[in-house]
Amino acid sequence: MIPYGRQNINQADMDAVLEVLRSDFLTQGPLVPAFEDAVAVYCGAKHAVAANSATSALHIACLALGLGKGDIAWTSPITFVASANCVQYCGAMIDFVDIDPNTYNMSVDYLAEKLVDAEKAGILPKVVIPVHLCGQPCEMAQIHSLSLQYGFKIIEDASHALGGRYKGKPIGNGLYSDITVFSFHPVKIITTGEGGIAVTNNASLAEKMSMLRSHGITYDNASMQQQEPEEIWNYQQIDLGFNYRMSDIHAALGLSQMQRLDTFVAQRHTIASKYNLMLSGLPVVIPFQHRNGYSSFHLYVICLKLNAINKTHRQVFETLHLAGIGINVHYIPVHMQPYYQKFGFKRGDFPVAEDYFSKAISLPIFPDLTYKQQDIVIGTLNRIFD
Ligand SMILES: *Cc1c(COP(=O)(O)O)cnc(C)c1O
């Protein structure tokens, strides 16, 4: 089976992990801060807080921005469930903004319309979570100016988008948002096994997140209460946090992978260009690329022109699977998940997202995908549409 995504691990990665295993610190050693620095420097952000997953990072990002009971947050319906779940963890309410039919990202037009209505109804969101689907950045400048007008905070779910750029600058630089989160799950751009990171330019948000990542404990005298002067060994729990820490074993892998980040993204672009070329005659829509963005191409999504073919989405999907191609659909709209239907969301609520879902297929794309494997994918698609 050709998977839709797969990690690339080399000898340097393995050596880096082994070195940690032989060292004094498996966790809470020097490699997590070193990895955080590497990601922050790459993105051009001031601070980075690593966590054991992007889901954890999204959770502490929401908490750091003060999201809680009675608050509302909005995200895209076309995302992994974690972008919405992080809001539920905080006891806040999630709602969705339909997608742009070209980029499949949260639509700025729908966002603007929904904000007008929400303001009238007195139910403005506290946080908006745009998701850079497939690695293509959302239209952050517009979302940012809406945030100034309506007073919401922004968390970029950039789980797909490490190594991508917006208006020529790295995603994660914080010019248009409060916090940006990346994932290091093995199918993502670089991996730590499991892992995620939150980057920000705001020192107090960074401090809050690093405290929440480790039980709500601070070692910083300035943050402590009723400090006895002689208690220099002191630490205090000043909030209810979690154990969301990344280990040094994971960070070593991440730090080693960072050295190949740009190569990985370039390899993904080469694969995408070949698909663009070879699929151009077929009844599929190839990924639209906004001129403001440079995608990391975490995913290569085609949309079937269902009116131009005599097969269903399901038939195409099944034929590819039978040919040994591990294609996927990213994603089932979150509002259609049984868990979210309990909150009153239903089919028809976000028609553009639902239409996308009815025709989208993610083709294999990852650095080690061979020309031969890609030819099998392209050949199978040609046979299906023959
Ligand atoms: C992968 C992913 C996450 C969650 O990442 P983990 O590191 O697996 O927790 C969140 N949002 C999106 C859009 C993702 O693709």
Side-chain angles (χ1 to χ4, degrees):
M1 187 69 97
I2 305 170
Y4 80 87
R6 193 186 194 283
Q7 69 278 10
N8 167 287
I9 300 293
N10 71 7
Q11 190 62 46
D13 293 338
M14 294 188 251
D15 292 345
V17 170
L18 271 178
E19 202 174 312
V20 178
L21 292 174
R22 294 191 188 101
S23 77
D24 291 334
F25 298 101
L26 300 188
T27 192
Q28 296 180 285
L31 283 167
V32 170
F35 178 52
E36 289 171 335
D37 283 349
V39 174
V41 166
Y42 182 90
C43 295
K46 291 206 179 93
H47 310 278
V49 179
N52 57 3
S53 71
T55 304
S56 305
L58 285 166
H59 183 194
I60 56 178
C62 286
L63 289 173
L65 291 173
L67 197 70
K69 219 172 149 64
D71 293 328
I72 302 166
W74 295 353
T75 189
S76 168
I78 298 299
T79 185
F80 185 55
V81 292
S83 319
N85 290 348
C86 59
V87 172
Q88 299 292 118
Y89 298 155
C90 301
M93 257 167 39
I94 188 76
D95 199 355
F96 303 93
V97 179
D98 209 347
I99 60 166
D100 179 285
N102 293 312
T103 62
Y104 317 137
N105 280 329
M106 174 185 285
S107 153
V108 172
D109 292 340
Y110 289 135
L111 175 62
E113 275 176 30
K114 197 175 171 103
L115 285 164
V116 171
D117 293 345
E119 187 173 47
K120 280 190 203 134
I123 47 168
L124 280 169
K126 185 168 200 167
V127 175
V128 172
I129 309 174
V131 181
H132 305 318
L133 194 76
C134 306
Q136 166 154 247
C138 296
E139 292 173 63
M140 290 311 300
Q142 285 101 312
I143 297 173
H144 181 247
S145 61
L146 288 168
S147 79
L148 300 178
Q149 190 181 341
Y150 290 95
F152 57 83
K153 303 287 185 191
I154 301 173
I155 300 170
E156 294 174 67
D157 184 344
S159 291
H160 298 182
L162 185 66
R165 300 169 87 82
Y166 175 71
K167 295 194 170 192
K169 297 206 177 77
I171 294 171
N173 65 18
L175 281 176
Y176 306 100
S177 67
D178 298 281
I179 299 169
T180 301
V181 170
F182 298 106
S183 169
F184 307 122
H185 182 279
V187 295
K188 304 287 165 67
I189 306 295
I190 68 162
T191 191
T192 60
E194 292 278 6
I197 206 164
V199 298
T200 180
N201 291 328
N202 181 314
S204 71
L205 287 177
E207 196 192 314
K208 189 100 208 265
M209 289 191 289
S210 53
M211 206 175 62
L212 289 168
R213 149 183 84 174
S214 198
H215 308 282
I217 285 171
T218 183
Y219 296 88
D220 174 23
N221 277 320
S223 304
M224 292 186 195
Q225 294 154 20
Q226 310 152 357
Q227 167 86 318
E228 298 295 332
E230 67 273 22
E231 291 180 3
I232 50 161
W233 57 86
N234 215 352
Y235 70 90
Q236 287 185 343
Q237 183 191 345
I238 58 173
D239 203 343
L240 182 62
F242 311 89
N243 183 350
Y244 280 173
R245 290 188 306 262
M246 177 181 276
S247 81
D248 276 46
I249 304 169
H250 296 79
L253 178 54
L255 196 56
S256 177
Q257 292 251 312
M258 275 304 283
Q259 299 190 29
R260 306 204 296 294
L261 169 55
D262 288 335
T263 311
F264 289 159
V265 174
Q267 287 167 317
R268 288 173 176 276
H269 272 262
T270 304
I271 294 164
S273 301
K274 181 170 171 183
Y275 275 138
N276 287 344
L277 195 69
M278 303 301 283
L279 302 179
S280 61
L282 296 183
V284 300
V285 178
I286 61 171
F288 168 84
Q289 295 297 293
H290 196 287
R291 68 190 140 73
N292 283 341
Y294 174 75
S295 178
S296 60
F297 268 112
H298 164 55
L299 300 173
Y300 186 94
V301 172
I302 56 169
C303 281
L304 305 179
K305 293 181 180 168
L306 289 169
N307 294 331
I309 59 175
N310 57 0
K311 294 202 168 60
T312 64
H313 187 226
R314 191 194 174 110
Q315 283 169 336
V316 174
F317 197 91
E318 282 173 353
T319 312
L320 284 160
H321 248 271
L322 282 174
I325 302 162
I327 38 103
N328 227 308
V329 174
H330 296 95
Y331 293 91
I332 302 168
V334 179
H335 71 282
M336 287 167 63
Q337 294 289 356
Y339 171 79
Y340 283 99
Q341 302 227 316
K342 289 194 302 196
F343 299 97
F345 295 109
K346 57 190 186 307
R347 214 170 271 260
D349 283 349
F350 303 100
V352 187
E354 292 168 34
D355 178 60
Y356 160 87
F357 172 57
S358 74
K359 58 193 186 183
I361 296 179
S362 304
L363 300 183
I365 187 166
F366 52 93
D368 289 338
L369 183 73
T370 64
Y371 254 62
K372 220 172 135 189
Q373 287 175 316
Q374 202 178 358
D375 284 339
I376 292 172
V377 177
I378 293 161
T380 309
L381 282 167
N382 269 292
R383 268 201 313 285
I384 290 173
F385 297 122
D386 202 11

